[in-house]
């Protein structure tokens, strides 16, 4: 999102703290802020750009600001507490003419350490600990923090987007003992805290994956395969309130494994899926049509049955297409595959051994 503001003599060659509200709409409360909104302290003479909340209780804002004229812009995640903003008359606003990225990448992103690269998490099969891996683009991954034990009790661990609006990616996972869907709120490099229990019945599904925003409400939704019927079921996200049942997208999905969000392959603004045909080992694309489900896309060729833990890894090589990573089951190496949109994937770097010790890679 961008603020496309004029610069001329009519506005003193740039809008100021006092004039910015003329091109924006005041929000109801600080809790309505979304990344890219502004917090304007007109009486205080200062404006900051909102990036997110540092915690689920919305007590401290993470902002971008120019602290004073001539200073270098900076990021702050400790000074602008809710009490400070309220006491000094800071008011939340949203620009009236939001300009979206013309080629949005709406696939799930997981930048844990804030360096601009998508990161991975995976469960150590031997210990049940959740291990973070920091992405370094084409250079692969470095070992990040160990986020603690207990994750072996869960399956279908999935990036769920930002459920609680604090600007950090969250996870959902199925409790194997109860079949409940459990949310985990992300705290960046601090790991995850237990969020809400989103209810029972999820043990009846497999290949739960983030499908992007299916119904256009701004929240990433889920799809999953009903194990009994092979139908693909959509679940619409309601943020911290969990999920409601969306459309049934039809039968035949039980023939596929490793169903994964692949970003927008065909450039129509909808997130697409890829999945491995278990009978042939071919990678099949499915073009997303929002609430109307999916249509068959290209067959991206054979050989994918040799890999496990297939997952979207963001744009590894910076070409604007989402890429994939997967574990070679014979060698335990993590293999990158560079996305080429509707043309499929080319083999990227081998990111080294040891990955067969992990499962639930996301």
């Amino acid at each position: 999102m961008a603020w496309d503001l004029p610069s001329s003599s009519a506005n003193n060659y740039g809008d100021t703290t006092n004039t910015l509200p003329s091109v924006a709409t005041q929000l109801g409360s600080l809790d309505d802020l979304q990344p890219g909104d502004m917090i304007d302290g007109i009486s205080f003479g200062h404006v900051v750009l909102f990036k997110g909340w540092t915690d689920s209780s919305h007590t401290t804002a993470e902002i971008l600001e120019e602290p004073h004229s001539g200073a270098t812009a900076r990021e702050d995640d400790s000074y602008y507490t809710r009490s400070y903003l309220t006491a000094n008359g800071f008011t939340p606003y949203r620009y009236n003419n939001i300009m979206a990225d013309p080629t949005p990448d709406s696939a799930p992103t997981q930048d844990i350490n804030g360096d601009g690269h998508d990161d991975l998490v995976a469960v150590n099969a031997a210990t049940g600990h959740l291990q973070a891996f920091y992405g370094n683009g084409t250079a692969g991954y470095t070992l990040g923090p160990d986020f603690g034990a207990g994750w072996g009790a869960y399956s279908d661990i999935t990036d769920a987007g930002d459920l609680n609006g604090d600007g950090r990616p969250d996870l959902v996972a199925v409790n194997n003992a109860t079949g409940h869907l459990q949310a985990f709120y992300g705290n960046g490099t601090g790991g995850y805290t237990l969020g809400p229990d989103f209810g029972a019945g999820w043990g009846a599904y497999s290949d739960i994956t983030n499908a992007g925003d299916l119904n256009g409400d701004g929240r990433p939704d889920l799809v999953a395969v009903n194990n009994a019927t092979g139908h693909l079921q959509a679940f619409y996200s309601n943020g911290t309130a969990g999920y409601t049942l969306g459309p049934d997208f039809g039968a035949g999905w039980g023939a596929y494994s490793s169903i994964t969000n692949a970003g927008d392959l065909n450039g129509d603004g909808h997130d697409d899926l890829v999945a491995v045909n278990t009978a042939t080992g071919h990678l099949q694309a499915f073009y997303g049509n929002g609430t109307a489900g999916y249509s068959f896309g290209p067959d991206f060729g054979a050989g994918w049955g040799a890999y496990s833990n297939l997952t979207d890894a963001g744009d590894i090589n910076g070409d604007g297409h989402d890429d994939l990573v997967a574990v070679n089951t014979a060698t335990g190496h993590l293999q990158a595959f560079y996305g080429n949109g509707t043309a499929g994937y080319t083999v990227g770097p081998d990111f080294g051994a040891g990955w067969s010790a992990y499962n639930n890679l996301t």
Side-chain angles (χ1 to χ4, degrees):
M1 182 170 71
W3 288 58
D4 183 29
L5 302 176
S7 179
S8 67
S9 58
N11 69 339
N12 197 30
Y13 298 99
D15 281 285
T16 66
T17 301
N18 291 326
T19 62
L20 278 168
S22 67
V23 296
T25 299
Q26 183 174 336
L27 303 176
S29 73
L30 292 171
D31 292 315
D32 295 325
L33 284 163
Q34 295 292 329
D37 292 338
M38 73 167 177
I39 315 175
D40 199 347
I42 297 174
S43 61
F44 195 67
H46 190 54
V47 63
V48 299
L49 192 66
F50 179 75
K51 187 177 178 183
W53 295 102
T54 61
D55 63 318
S56 59
S57 299
H58 295 185
T59 58
T60 305
E62 188 173 4
I63 60 89
L64 299 169
E65 68 173 345
E66 182 185 8
H68 56 80
S69 180
T72 302
R74 69 183 181 188
E75 180 177 353
D76 183 272
D77 62 1
S78 61
Y79 189 77
Y80 288 89
T81 63
R82 190 185 196 92
S83 58
Y84 175 84
L85 292 169
T86 302
N88 288 281
F90 280 85
T91 306
Y93 287 90
R94 181 165 299 150
Y95 180 43
N96 290 334
N97 187 27
I98 293 173
M99 295 181 63
D101 184 337
T103 56
D105 170 17
S106 53
T109 57
Q110 178 129 305
D111 182 9
I112 294 171
N113 61 344
D115 67 352
H117 296 294
D118 273 26
D119 306 313
L120 299 175
V121 292
V123 177
N124 184 310
T127 66
H129 285 227
L130 188 71
Q131 178 64 53
F133 299 91
Y134 289 156
N136 299 296
T138 56
Y141 297 87
T142 55
L143 205 63
D146 178 322
F147 288 147
W151 293 84
Y154 298 91
S155 59
D156 280 304
I157 298 173
T158 303
D159 183 342
D162 182 11
L163 293 170
N164 60 344
D166 68 352
R168 303 180 194 277
D170 306 314
L171 300 175
V172 291
V174 177
N175 184 310
N176 295 325
T178 66
H180 285 226
L181 188 71
Q182 178 65 53
F184 298 91
Y185 289 154
N187 299 299
T189 56
Y192 297 88
T193 55
L194 206 63
D197 179 321
F198 289 148
W202 293 84
Y205 297 90
S206 60
D207 273 313
I208 299 173
T209 191
N210 183 321
D213 182 12
L214 294 170
N215 60 345
D217 68 352
R219 298 186 179 101
D221 306 311
L222 301 177
V223 292
V225 177
N226 184 310
N227 295 324
T229 66
H231 286 227
L232 188 71
Q233 179 64 54
F235 298 91
Y236 289 155
S237 174
N238 299 297
T240 56
Y243 296 87
T244 55
L245 205 64
D248 179 321
F249 289 148
W253 293 85
Y256 298 91
S257 63
S258 298
I259 298 173
T260 302
N261 187 311
D264 184 8
L265 293 170
N266 60 345
D268 67 352
H270 297 293
D271 274 26
D272 306 314
L273 301 176
V274 292
V276 178
N277 185 311
T278 53
T280 66
H282 285 227
L283 188 72
Q284 178 64 51
F286 298 92
Y287 289 155
N289 300 297
T291 56
Y294 297 87
S295 55
F296 266 107
D299 179 321
F300 289 147
W304 295 84
Y307 297 91
S308 62
N309 276 314
L310 181 71
T311 191
D312 185 294
D315 183 10
I316 293 173
N317 61 343
D319 67 352
H321 296 294
D322 268 37
D323 306 312
L324 301 175
V325 292
V327 178
N328 184 311
T329 53
T331 66
H333 285 227
L334 188 71
Q335 179 63 56
F337 298 92
Y338 289 156
N340 299 296
T342 56
Y345 296 87
T346 55
V347 177
D350 179 320
F351 289 148
W355 293 84
S356 57
Y358 298 91
N359 55 41
N360 277 296
L361 186 68
T362 188

